[in-house]
């Protein structure tokens, strides 16, 4: 199992229904290690926010 996105890549974040996180364009900051649940995850950051978020791969799509 390999990560689909790379560090520095722009992605569009679509949080799960009911999550109050902002949808939109983010940059991948770090690729997180694969845990026991086999979910691929990333640390992402938006220019509009001062903090990073953790997102699972299924919540991200490629953005240019």
């Amino acid at each position: 199992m390999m990560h689909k996105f790379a560090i520095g890549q722009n992605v569009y974040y679509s949080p799960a229904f009911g999550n109050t996180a902002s949808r939109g364009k983010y940059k991948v900051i770090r690729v997180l290690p694969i845990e026991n649940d086999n979910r691929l995850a990333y640390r992402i950051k938006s220019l509009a926010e001062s903090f990073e978020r953790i997102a699972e791969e299924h919540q991200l799509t490629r953005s240019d």
Side-chain angles (χ1 to χ4, degrees):
M1 193 174 263
M2 294 186 62
H3 288 84
K4 183 177 177 180
F5 303 106
I7 294 172
Q9 187 171 2
N10 292 324
V11 293
Y12 186 85
Y13 175 54
S14 298
F17 181 75
N19 188 333
T20 59
S22 297
R23 294 176 178 267
K25 192 173 180 179
Y26 287 75
K27 184 171 288 234
V28 175
I29 302 300
R30 182 174 303 143
V31 176
L32 299 178
I34 300 170
E35 299 289 332
N36 293 337
D37 58 6
N38 289 328
R39 293 185 185 183
L40 301 176
Y42 303 83
R43 289 192 68 86
I44 59 173
K45 181 157 183 342
S46 168
L47 291 176
E49 298 174 332
S50 61
F51 53 90
E52 296 176 1
R53 297 182 180 274
I54 294 178
E56 292 182 10
E57 190 166 273
H58 68 89
Q59 297 173 308
L60 303 174
T61 55
R62 186 176 153 151
S63 174
D64 294 323

